[in-house]
Amino acid sequence: MGIDPATPSPARMYDYFLGGKDNFPSDREAADKVKAVIPNTYDIVWENRRFLQRTVRHLAERGVRQFIDIGAGLPTQGNVHQIAQEVIPDARVVYVDNDPIVLAHGRALLAENNNTTTVVQADLRDPATILEHPELRALIDFEQPFALLLVAIFHFIADEYDPEGLAAAYRDVLPSGGYLTLSHLTSTGADPAGVAATEAVYQKASSPIIFRPKDRIEGFFEGLDLIDPGLVHLYDWHPDGDEEFRTGWLYGGVARKP
């Protein structure tokens, strides 16, 4: 898959929201349209980023040494491998994204860290290609517990691609003691006009965006045991005193496979 500068990319829009520079005018234009209808978009993106960081640290502190981050986006501050390796220096991390810019920038960032971390270009909608990828398999031991991170990515999967079936395919490969971390934009309690306007902007991007109700998001964890505090607004997941971003636009949780 090549780079299309004219079509907004969710990964590059996310980079722009986070204050990064790895984006094109089309990405910035689309992102600005989202901010026009949801002015606190910056807070939403950073709220999600803080959730990701807290969950990785939480799991690493409990001995998880392997992480697969699908839909990782462009590298920024506080990446998964940086957080995990602060706790476990030899923690192994595989980043997966379908945007070729993520692959190029990620590999440049990780050039000196390639014994424990790598980046794979693949599509979330093709679990077999991801889970059997030789670079992923070289780092991740599927016989040992690992954490699968699906953070702010499933809301880019349209219903026609069977998100519940995809979630099941990823859950199935988790070994006993493995974890699933997931966050998702929600329509529950959200401003309907903001939801509709945001979905309309992303219809012109390389991936649409879909807000889903809380009960459907919880279904992505089927068969796993949600750890305390369950599926909650992101700012309520093991707050550490740095919860300056409290928007209520996303639900998230971490679940363990029995």
Side-chain angles (χ1 to χ4, degrees), residues 147-168:
L148 183 63
L149 312 178
L150 297 171
V151 175
I153 187 63
F154 256 64
H155 47 234
F156 293 114
I157 302 300
D159 285 347
E160 64 187 280
Y161 293 108
D162 185 18
E164 280 80 9
L166 288 171

Side-chain angles (χ1 to χ4, degrees), residues 179-191:
Y179 290 88
L180 170 64
T181 296
L182 184 144
S183 64
H184 196 298
L185 285 166
T186 185
S187 56
T188 299
D191 170 34

